[in-house]
Amino acid sequence: MAVIKTNSEDVRLLARLMRAEAEGEGEQGMLMVGNVGVNRILGDCLDFRDIRDMNRMVFQSPGGFEATQKGYFYQRARDRDIRLAQRIIDGERVWPASNALWFFRPAGDCPGTWYNQQNTGRFKAHCFFAPTAEDCPTVY
């Protein structure tokens, strides 16, 4: 059962975002990007109070995703990517992005916090950061 309300266009949009942001990190990395995106829609907290749908989440500015500014993002979603996006929309969570609202690729080690959120772990080149359950209970 879906954890957020979506239509087929939303699923394709999330699939394109996941691919553009993390294709080089494999399926698991792409799933983690999807977790962050869905968490931003669920969150209703911090920088994501007015993010209630896929389009607003993907194109949020400032604070959004860099991939939307690159041509690769605008390619058609592949079936494989759509299936991954649907898994996330259906509620699959992948650690360390399970409850994360942010991720980035640092030049070195992951900092302990980012935007006052705790580092939850690293996957390949990216570090993930989650709010406290007190600040954002709906991502837990």
Side-chain angles (χ1 to χ4, degrees):
M1 184 170 113
V3 296
I4 57 172
K5 184 179 177 182
T6 60
N7 58 37
S8 59
E9 184 178 320
D10 293 331
V11 177
R12 288 191 305 270
L13 183 59
L14 181 60
R16 289 174 29 217
L17 178 70
M18 292 165 57
R19 178 182 178 190
E21 286 283 348
E23 184 175 40
E25 308 243 328
E27 286 188 4
Q28 189 169 350
M30 291 169 62
L31 290 168
M32 289 179 199
V33 168
N35 277 157
V36 170
V38 167
N39 287 342
R40 289 179 178 190
I41 294 170
L42 290 171
D44 197 21
C45 61
L46 303 172
D47 292 341
F48 310 103
R49 290 201 188 279
D50 295 324
I51 306 300
R52 302 279 57 89
D53 62 66
M54 191 68 66
N55 199 60
R56 290 185 71 159
M57 179 275 292
V58 170
F59 294 103
Q60 180 185 9
S61 182
F65 295 94
E66 288 181 19
T68 61
Q69 300 168 20
K70 302 193 184 326
Y72 191 63
F73 169 77
Y74 293 93
Q75 293 182 8
R76 187 177 148 284
R78 301 177 301 194
D79 289 343
R80 178 184 89 142
D81 305 328
I82 291 169
R83 285 192 298 275
L84 291 175
Q86 190 63 59
R87 285 170 53 186
I88 294 301
I89 290 166
D90 289 343
E92 185 172 335
R93 292 178 179 251
V94 181
W95 184 88
S98 306
N99 309 102
L101 290 175
W102 296 98
F103 66 89
F104 82 103
R105 181 182 186 152
D109 293 337
C110 296
T113 59
W114 199 49
Y115 289 98
N116 296 318
Q117 295 181 45
Q118 291 298 310
N119 176 342
T120 57
R122 182 180 200 129
F123 180 75
K124 295 188 178 182
H126 288 86
C127 304
F128 292 84
F129 299 85
T132 64
E134 193 173 287
D135 286 338
C136 293
T138 53
V139 301
Y140 285 88

